[in-house]
Amino acid sequence: QKEVEQNSGPLSVPEGAIASLNCTYSDRGSQSFFWYRQYSGKSPELIMSIYSNGDKEDGRFTAQLNKASQYVSLLIRDSQPSDSATYLCAVPSSSARQLTFGSGTQLTVLP
Amino acid sequence: GAGVSQSPSNKVTEKGKDVELRCDPISGHTALYWYRQSLGQGLEFLIYFQGNSAPDKSGLPSDRFSAERTGGSVSTLTIQRTQQEDSAVYLCASSLLAGVAKNIQYFGAGTRLSVL
């Protein structure tokens, strides 16, 4: 079992809809979770971090964490074509040094 | 500089040649990481430096790969006798601290390596 798993997609949603991206992780002791956005040919850019169970909202983005079920999700409300990118879920290693990344979910928002 | 700087942005080389990739981290960041991203794949950890401590080389795929960090700042990733499977985007990241769960890593634009 991979340490961090994501649905690879592709995921397509119409403009204005809610995009839901999911991630599961295997290390029950994980404390921090990060969502990076990566446009084609560009480097990953941090968009959300979450450390506690529940929801964390930042503008149109909401991260949801459920440690008991070992999943973290990212919701994008009022999706825009500019949100079209690959979204990477990342979890620190047990040493909290390097990040372990999922394979990413490719999102396309259709105008 | 304002962000993590990597050079070159693109590198095309012939199989069997050696290549050097450079990373200049954000000023003041003590931790530096190298990752590799193959086409359509997630990021794969290669090596990590923290201050003057011995680097964590656990992610290096073979002994053809090595890296150094001079003066606790600039880092160079060297790939000897390149193979076609080394073709990937090599990403460098830096962070203020390491070993802290809330540590945030900031990425450079990457070097796209193509081995012919």
Side-chain angles (χ1 to χ4, degrees):
Chain A
Q1 181 188 5
K2 286 186 178 178
E3 294 183 43
V4 179
E5 294 206 49
Q6 297 180 249
N7 292 330
S8 59
L11 173 66
S12 293
V13 299
E15 184 174 355
I18 296 175
S20 178
L21 307 165
N22 299 313
C23 172
T24 59
Y25 59 94
S26 60
D27 184 356
R28 190 169 286 278
S30 296
Q31 298 294 314
S32 306
F33 307 87
F34 303 95
W35 282 100
Y36 283 83
R37 177 177 64 197
Q38 187 174 27
Y39 292 114
S40 181
K42 302 296 184 182
S43 60
E45 170 194 15
L46 181 71
I47 54 170
M48 287 288 284
S49 59
I50 186 166
Y51 312 116
S52 304
N53 274 331
D55 295 358
K56 178 182 177 183
E57 187 174 318
D58 184 0
R60 297 186 295 110
F61 297 96
T62 299
Q64 299 176 319
L65 175 60
N66 184 322
K67 290 185 178 180
S69 300
Q70 294 175 246
Y71 84 76
V72 56
S73 62
L74 179 69
L75 301 179
I76 306 174
R77 291 183 302 281
D78 187 24
S79 295
Q80 302 297 309
S82 58
D83 295 326
S84 298
T86 296
Y87 290 81
L88 299 165
C89 174
V91 180
S93 66
S94 57
S95 65
R97 292 172 180 170
Q98 72 268 26
L99 292 171
T100 299
F101 285 84
S103 57
T105 298
Q106 184 179 344
L107 172 67
T108 300
V109 180
L110 303 171
Chain B
V4 178
S5 177
Q6 290 188 246
S7 62
S9 55
N10 284 283
K11 177 71 176 179
V12 180
T13 190
E14 294 178 351
K15 177 181 173 181
K17 300 285 190 183
D18 298 351
V19 296
E20 285 190 352
L21 313 178
R22 176 188 167 102
C23 173
D24 197 347
I26 293 172
S27 178
H29 280 193
T30 62
L32 185 148
Y33 313 79
W34 284 97
Y35 295 85
R36 178 170 70 174
Q37 187 173 33
S38 301
L39 188 63
Q41 301 297 312
L43 278 74
E44 172 192 6
F45 166 73
L46 297 177
I47 188 169
Y48 146 84
F49 295 89
Q50 169 63 52
N52 295 320
S53 302
D56 177 352
K57 305 179 182 180
S58 60
L60 294 179
S62 79
D63 58 8
R64 297 185 295 104
F65 288 73
S66 64
E68 63 177 16
R69 188 180 185 191
T70 54
S73 182
V74 172
S75 176
T76 302
L77 177 69
T78 301
I79 309 173
Q80 296 178 310
R81 305 180 303 281
T82 52
Q83 303 295 310
Q84 289 182 331
E85 60 263 28
D86 299 334
S87 296
V89 176
Y90 289 82
L91 290 159
C92 176
S94 71
S95 66
L96 192 58
L97 296 171
V100 175
K102 296 182 180 181
N103 182 39
I104 293 176
Q105 296 182 25
Y106 299 90
F107 284 83
T111 294
R112 182 175 299 276
L113 175 66
S114 300
V115 182
L116 304 179

